[in-house]
Amino acid sequence: MHRYRMILLLLAALFALPAQALEEGGVESLRQTGKAFAAVAREVSPSVVFIQVESIREERGSRAFPPPFGDEFFRRFFGEPFSPRGEAPKGQRRAIGQGSGFIFSSKKGLLSDKTYILTNSHVVEDADKIRVQFQDDREFEGEIVGTDPKSDIAVIEITVGGLPALEWGDSSKLQVGEWVIAMGNPFGLSHTLTVGVVSATGRTSLGISDYEDFIQTDAAINPGNSGGPLVNLNGEVVGVNTAIFSRSGGYMGIGFAIPSKLAKAIANQLIETGEVTRGYLGIVIQPLTAELAESFNMEQSQGILVAQVSEDSPAKKAGLKQGDVIVGYQDKPVKDIGGFRNRVALTAPGSRETLTIIRDGKRQKVKITIGELSQEQTLAEGPTQSAEELGLAVQTLTPELARQFDAKAGEGVVVTGVERGSIAAMAGIRVGNVILQINRKPIHSAKEFNRAMQESQDDKRALLLIRSGNMQHYVVLRW
């Protein structure tokens, strides 16, 4: 309270207001805010559940969490499993995990004989038994309706009807700084409420799931919160708590939630068909960096770059070309890869949609019929890029080398050496990569490569099209 009073006095000095009036108003404002949080808790809590999952797993080595940011990593909120002694056969263990979930409104509405509960896919994966517990200690056995690991959404059902469901809010209207409330069961502590604000929206490329468009919040989220609702002050679900950014595995001020717009669409598909159908274009895309934008005579803020068009794909049939820049989809701007991929994925296959592109400096519209994404296909993937700087050796693709590197003889040159710390290495070029073009012109031999690089000496820069595995992407070299 002493700190709070000091803040009020400072505000009074800044705005030349009577300190007493400001303090009285501030205290009353805090009271009203506290009452608003309490009201949301009363409304939401009966619809939030504690989920405990039991499964029998083969014994494995220690569990590793991939570190996309060095020592800092994302830890999903699946309670650390344990193995009670004597209860599982040798070579197996009984694993118990926990998470959260909530009753939600589906297209089918409230049913008289069953209730749908939304949670994270990683909470219930490989579950042999699911136990659902409510705030009033009632327990039910849950059954999986469907899971979608690519978005980390799952729906389970219990055989009881008439339970209160939470209403969906519109996550697309969320603003940075807006109050949000996280509900769940961190560390197994039933029905815990934490409060914070939206600290960012549209977070993508985090490596948590395949389809990312996360809400970032500083509302405290911890292991066990996975699958719980993130709600606004109206008690409407605007997100599904999914992951934290942490060095220790606990709360450090940054949490991530799947936006309600995405979660709702996936959940309804799981209820209706048990699986998710996604739209498919058949292109490889990458961010339009400042260097790439300069190479294509564009502004960096415009769209995303098409690095590759798959054969016999919807994009190929529509006339999309490598080097096109996509700036609009469904007559709405395209600004980043994550948002674009999600919008395409949620488009029904067979739909006739409009892409706005820039090709050779000219804006044009392309009509495209959306395909259906199979398990083996990629609708719009960004190439894997490495930040490892022109120490570069290449060879003409002879038939022998072409077979070795799964390439075509005479199409490009293969990288046979990259000097550590060089310009090429820093650009992410690796041994085994195939360089197909320089400055948007095909090359067929090491001699043509050297000639093209020599022609780039005046500008001290070159735009390379590189194939790595089955993926193609552009790289700009400067020296």
Side-chain angles (χ1 to χ4, degrees), residues 439-458:
N439 296 327
R440 306 183 73 177
K441 295 180 180 179
I443 56 172
H444 307 91
S445 65
K447 186 176 181 179
E448 289 186 8
F449 172 85
N450 291 331
R451 184 187 304 124
M453 293 304 296
Q454 190 67 36
E455 291 172 352
S456 302
Q457 283 296 325
D458 290 342

Side-chain angles (χ1 to χ4, degrees), residues 383-388 424-430 473 475:
T384 301
Q385 296 184 16
S386 173
E388 282 188 329
M426 291 297 290
I429 299 175
R430 295 182 176 182
H473 65 283
V475 167

